[in-house]
Amino acid sequence: MNEEIIMLLPNGSAMKQDVIDAFNAAVVAEENVAKGVGTTEFWNYVDADFTMDLSKYYSYEYIYECFEVLATAWEAK
């Protein structure tokens, strides 16, 4: 079951669920985890996967803003 999580951007708008799903997939992808979770290399690969998955639908500014919010929340866990 896919649980819907509501994440808010700094302007108070809700983040799209497909964006959250893309981030969650990127942080658990075997090839990204193999780089060392939390390392700079890990985040570079997560960011690349995340951006590649979403760039055909959203602006880079929106993707970057979402990535910052999601990465901060993920690291705080």
Side-chain angles (χ1 to χ4, degrees):
M1 177 164 90
N2 238 357
E3 181 180 331
E4 188 169 319
I5 299 170
I6 298 175
M7 295 289 297
L8 298 178
L9 296 173
N11 67 7
S13 64
M15 198 177 299
K16 305 271 187 190
Q17 187 62 44
D18 62 334
V19 173
I20 296 168
D21 293 343
F23 180 84
N24 288 338
V27 294
V28 297
E30 271 186 50
E31 62 274 11
N32 297 343
V33 171
K35 304 300 179 194
V37 174
T39 65
T40 299
E41 192 172 13
F42 168 80
W43 284 117
N44 287 341
Y45 278 81
V46 169
D47 185 20
D49 287 352
F50 180 71
T51 301
M52 187 171 50
D53 288 348
L54 300 171
S55 63
K56 58 188 158 219
Y57 306 110
Y58 302 109
S59 71
Y60 287 107
E61 293 80 17
Y62 177 72
I63 293 168
Y64 176 77
E65 186 176 20
C66 292
F67 184 82
E68 289 298 310
V69 170
L70 290 164
T72 300
W74 189 85
E75 286 184 323
K77 293 195 297 181

